Amino acid sequence: MNLPGKAIRTEALSYGVLGIFFVAAAALSLSGALPLTYDEAWTYIEFTRHGAVYSATHYPLPNNHVAFSILEALVVPDTWVQSNPLWIRLGSLGALLATVLVLRRVLARLLGLSGLALGAAVAGLLLSSPLVTLYAVLARGYGLGTLLLLVAV
């Protein structure tokens, strides 16, 4: 017999596992455990800090992360970045959180998973490749691109 309370606990467990995964990724990203890369800093200095319109229209040199630069310019105030440069990763962390939630929904529908199994499957898929984990938190457009791909599927 399926009780409503059990279904709610199962869903809460799934979200709990994913919440722990996300908090760990955010903590590692914003703590300085993963230092700011040259590309992250350069994109912010040359494009993002000048605002969304500038990021969308000004191309003195190539910027292959235009959508991310626009999003970042809209979401993260320059004063935050001046106090701690790692704040430029906030847009990537937002994209990672949305990716986790979309991937959870996709796997629930495709595989019929729920609860701990669903949370573990999502976190496992994301952690199965160190490059996916790395690029998901960098202040570049990779995480946003992954999210948009999942939404399109």
Side-chain angles (χ1 to χ4, degrees), residues 13 21 28 32 43 45 51 58 72 80 96 104 114 125 133 137 151:
L13 186 58
F21 166 77
L28 288 173
T43 299
I45 290 167
H58 191 72
E72 194 75 8
W80 290 10
L96 174 61
R104 181 193 178 282
S114 65
L125 275 175
T133 307
V137 296
V151 169

Side-chain angles (χ1 to χ4, degrees), residues 24-118:
L28 288 173
S29 175
L30 296 176
S31 69
L34 177 62
L36 209 58
T37 66
Y38 172 82
D39 287 341
E40 290 175 292
W42 189 87
T43 299
Y44 182 80
I45 290 167
E46 291 297 321
F47 298 102
T48 308
R49 75 177 178 157
H50 299 291
V53 173
Y54 185 93
S55 295
T57 60
H58 191 72
Y59 296 102
L61 294 167
N63 177 12
N64 56 350
H65 299 273
V66 176
F68 181 79
S69 295
I70 294 167
L71 174 68
E72 194 75 8
L74 294 171
V75 173
V76 181
D78 192 48
T79 54
W80 290 10
V81 177
Q82 289 174 10
S83 69
N84 184 352
L86 293 174
W87 277 113
I88 67 173
R89 293 182 174 159
L90 189 61
S92 292
L93 292 172
L96 174 61
L97 177 59
T99 298
V100 165
L101 295 175
V102 170
L103 187 57
R104 181 193 178 282
R105 175 163 252 170
V106 168
L107 288 181
R109 284 187 182 171
L110 288 177
L111 304 177
L113 296 175
S114 65
L116 183 59
L118 179 57

Side-chain angles (χ1 to χ4, degrees), residues 138-153:
L138 292 180
R140 307 288 281 148
Y142 306 114
L144 182 60
T146 302
L147 171 62
L148 294 174
L149 176 70
L150 273 174
V151 169
V153 171

